[in-house]
Amino acid sequence: MIASVRGVVAGLSPDGAVIEVGGVGLAVQCAPGTLAGLRVGSPARLATSLVVREDSLTLYGFADDDEKQLFELLQTASGVGPRLAQAVLAVHAPDVVRKAIANGDTGTLTRVPGIGKKGAERLVLELRDRIGPIPVGPDGAAGVTAGAWPEQVRQALVGLGWTASQADQAVAAVAETVDGEVPPVPVLLKQAIRLLGRTR
């Protein structure tokens, strides 16, 4: 088991990174929120989970051990594979997922592409007693402050290789779609990447 990798970021793509460790480039699948903290040429440490299949070995990377542990726990629920588990963490922070499962909040869980009402109910039923400590506070770590996300998305886009000008235009376009509650940063980043993909 490869529990973590530490090395220089050799490359970034919309769904992963290449971390050079001892002269070997390791391809690591990452959610947008994790990619946002990486820069090509800079050192990085990712908690990792190796998923072994008959025809593949896939390394999934996370910003911290908390995300990794939740990723692995989610896969113990029936019908949840690594891609769906990663999708959950792309949409929601770990604390949000834990609170949703502990409180039976299926509405929050169904915001994840690929999880319907029955799937959300199954997650609650199977994981509620194993989800771990729930954050204390009015909003936990769930909220995204209205003023913080534009810079986070902009920095992530520049880190992925777009120019500052392109990043600014994408952030402005995404901002026009935000009305009321601000979605999680990974969701906003995906939206910006889709917009930029059309203009490349």
Side-chain angles (χ1 to χ4, degrees), residues 3-191:
S4 66
V5 297
R6 184 188 299 273
V8 175
V9 180
L12 292 171
S13 67
D15 60 357
V18 176
I19 310 295
E20 189 167 307
V21 182
V24 177
L26 298 177
V28 187
Q29 296 290 308
C30 302
T34 301
L35 292 171
L38 304 178
R39 296 290 179 273
V40 173
S42 298
R45 186 258 182 200
L46 294 176
T48 56
S49 180
L50 180 64
V51 176
V52 180
R53 295 286 184 264
E54 286 185 10
D55 58 348
S56 67
L57 295 171
T58 306
L59 198 59
Y60 289 84
F62 309 92
D64 55 43
D65 291 318
D66 186 38
E67 283 189 4
K68 169 190 169 180
Q69 289 166 5
L70 185 56
F71 170 81
E72 293 176 344
L73 177 65
L74 287 168
Q75 290 178 78
T76 65
S78 55
V80 179
R83 288 191 179 278
L84 187 55
Q86 189 178 51
V88 172
L89 292 168
V91 174
H92 297 303
D95 286 345
V96 178
V97 178
R98 289 195 178 92
K99 287 175 71 174
I101 292 174
N103 297 329
D105 181 4
T106 57
T108 293
L109 297 173
T110 55
R111 289 178 61 189
V112 178
I115 295 183
K117 186 178 180 184
K118 287 186 177 179
E121 290 171 348
R122 189 165 58 245
L123 280 174
V124 171
L125 180 65
E126 296 184 18
L127 300 181
R128 176 178 270 166
D129 295 333
R130 297 187 286 139
I131 201 63
I134 308 303
V136 177
D139 298 313
V144 178
T145 58
W149 74 263
E151 183 58 25
Q152 289 177 295
V153 172
R154 181 183 181 280
Q155 288 181 4
L157 292 171
V158 171
L160 287 170
W162 278 283
T163 66
S165 175
Q166 289 173 318
D168 287 338
Q169 290 174 7
V171 167
V174 172
E176 291 177 2
T177 70
V178 176
D179 183 22
E181 183 183 352
V182 180
V185 169
V187 175
L188 295 165
L189 178 57
K190 277 187 176 179
Q191 192 174 342

